[in-house]
Amino acid sequence: QVQLVESGGGLVQAGGSLRLSCAASGRTFSRYAMGWFRQAPGKERDFVASIIWSGDRTIYADSVKGRFTISRDNTKNTVYLQMDSLKPEDTAVYYCAAHYSRTTIPSMSLNSYPYWGQGTQVTVSS
């Protein structure tokens, strides 16, 4: 089992940048695939980005491709989401998620991830 704690959210103007971090507990972080999801008020939780256990493969939602970058540091048990060129429509609560898998295919499915953090608010003003 793994516990996840997100940080780095906040208020930023459109065009600005933020970097989210997700710290994981435990000694087996490198065996987990990781994902970022987001949920805007009144909307469903949507996929943002995911990364396989080794960090060698990533996948992004079309809405963030070219603006967001997911990465991980297995020595620090941490996954990151670098968000650049932020838009007001990126405003949401961002969640980190994990699933125990050595797959080489990143998963976009919310249902693949049994472990979730508490979320961090990102607000982009116009």
Side-chain angles (χ1 to χ4, degrees):
Q1 193 166 354
V2 62
Q3 293 182 326
L4 306 172
V5 179
E6 300 99 333
S7 62
L11 173 64
V12 64
Q13 289 188 330
S17 298
L18 282 174
R19 188 175 83 154
L20 305 183
S21 299
C22 173
S25 65
R27 296 178 292 179
T28 60
F29 177 72
S30 63
R31 300 177 186 176
Y32 286 81
M34 303 297 296
W36 286 97
F37 293 77
R38 66 186 182 186
Q39 188 166 18
K43 296 189 177 181
E44 294 184 347
R45 192 170 297 188
D46 290 330
F47 170 77
V48 175
S50 65
I51 188 167
I52 66 169
W53 63 274
S54 64
D56 290 342
R57 293 191 67 179
T58 60
I59 191 169
Y60 297 90
D62 288 343
S63 59
V64 307
K65 203 172 294 183
R67 300 187 298 121
F68 290 11
T69 304
I70 187 172
S71 62
R72 66 189 296 160
D73 186 338
N74 287 346
T75 66
K76 296 182 179 179
N77 283 15
T78 302
V79 63
Y80 305 97
L81 186 67
Q82 177 67 42
M83 305 186 295
D84 299 318
S85 302
L86 282 160
K87 304 175 181 180
E89 52 263 43
D90 294 318
T91 294
V93 177
Y94 283 71
Y95 296 92
C96 172
H99 73 104
Y100 190 88
S101 175
R102 297 299 291 265
T103 181
T104 59
I105 302 172
S107 175
M108 301 171 60
S109 173
L110 184 149
N111 293 329
S112 296
Y113 296 87
Y115 305 109
W116 292 83
Q118 82 290 349
T120 185
Q121 176 71 46
V122 171
T123 303
V124 184
S125 63
S126 57

